[in-house]
């Protein structure tokens, strides 16, 4: 999982982590309290991963939050879509009523498109909230999907 | 600060914390790593408080996030507005370029109105993301304001 994390954050165009993020920080992000991590495997190789957790505690705990990373070398293989579909099922089984993504970089067209395909919609756009490695400040989408109609 | 925290979360209509939140959890929320807390005082009594922190790490760290609580007994005294104005100044001094609130309960008209007065706008609305004690599931606003024009 660490090599995938490093490959994903190296480009500075989709995730908020600096390319110099430490292994310990990455470990905490994936395995810290409240997170449930999953991986996608092809034979014995990890292709991608996601984690799911409550978006908020207590009075906001009916909404899940999830984060995904796919090995850049595995892009185009349907790994993201498979993880997304798995996440929808797991979130439903866990009793969540919706999933919310807080930080979908607007220029990450692959992610925006994938989430729309899986039934998510953009419910908000925060202007210039992400410092893109090449493009400078770009907008960030909040995306959301109810689970009871899935 | 603990009595104000208890009074604010007791009603279950504005904050995500359960009325049964422990003192330790409240302490961590206000004084945990990355947070800078402030209080408003009238003589020697604390009337309200806010904290400011980076909304995201690294490539999102130019946006601040802040959270406010005002003693219900001090409502109508301008404490929230004074804290909000102080927060805008502190965020500017700290070098942030914007402030984002993630979880403004849509039925909390006082808060929505105050933030609009202070130049914030609603950039997103997450449907039914807060379980209101009396109204059931209600929407939550994401509100945002740039600081460079202030």
């Amino acid at each position: 999982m660490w090599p995938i994390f490093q490959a994903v954050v190296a480009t500075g165009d989709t995730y908020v982590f600096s390319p110099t993020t430490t292994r310990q920080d990455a470990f905490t992000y994936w395995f810290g309290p409240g997170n449930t991590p999953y991986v996608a495997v092809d034979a014995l190789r990890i292709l991608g991963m996601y984690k799911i957790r409550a978006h908020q505690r207590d009075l906001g705990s009916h909404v899940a939050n999830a984060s995904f990373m796919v090995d850049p070398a595995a892009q185009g293989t349907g790994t993201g879509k498979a993880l997304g579909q798995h996440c929808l099922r797991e979130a439903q089984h866990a009793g969540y009523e919706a999933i919310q993504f807080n930080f979908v970089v607007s220029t990450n067209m692959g992610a925006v498109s994938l989430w729309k395909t899986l039934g998510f919609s953009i419910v908000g756009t925060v202007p210039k909230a992400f410092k893109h490695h090449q493009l400078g400040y770009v907008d960030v989408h909040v995306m959301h999907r109810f689970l009871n109609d899935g």
Side-chain angles (χ1 to χ4, degrees), chain A:
Chain A
M1 292 172 72
W2 173 231
I4 293 178
F5 183 96
Q6 289 177 293
V8 167
V9 306
T11 53
D13 59 358
T14 57
Y15 247 86
V16 82
F17 293 96
S18 159
T20 60
T21 301
T22 64
R23 184 173 173 139
Q24 180 58 50
D25 276 4
F27 183 87
T28 301
Y29 179 72
W30 283 97
F31 294 97
N35 294 292
T36 307
Y38 298 86
V39 295
V41 295
D42 171 13
L44 287 179
R45 192 165 74 92
I46 294 179
L47 301 177
M49 54 228 196
Y50 78 92
K51 63 170 188 171
I52 188 166
R53 55 176 296 152
H55 179 255
Q56 298 278 344
R57 54 181 291 159
D58 302 341
L59 309 184
S61 62
H62 55 291
V63 179
N65 172 243
S67 305
F68 296 75
M69 286 189 179
V70 172
D71 188 341
Q75 262 160 21
T77 62
T79 301
K81 187 170 185 178
L83 285 172
Q85 288 168 329
H86 189 274
C87 176
L88 289 172
R89 286 195 302 273
E90 290 301 308
Q92 253 176 334
H93 291 163
Y96 289 111
E97 299 181 17
I99 299 181
Q100 176 180 345
F101 302 139
N102 291 319
F103 213 83
V104 182
V105 176
S106 61
T107 52
N108 187 0
M109 300 310 294
V112 174
S113 167
L114 172 60
W115 301 135
K116 284 184 176 173
T117 300
L118 291 182
F120 287 80
S121 58
I122 295 171
V123 296
T125 300
V126 186
K128 302 185 179 180
F130 180 71
K131 191 173 185 177
H132 191 286
H133 178 61
Q134 292 176 302
L135 305 175
Y137 293 134
V138 299
D139 297 350
V140 166
H141 295 314
V142 178
M143 299 188 74
H144 176 275
R145 184 198 197 277
F146 285 114
L147 293 169
N148 50 11
D149 57 356

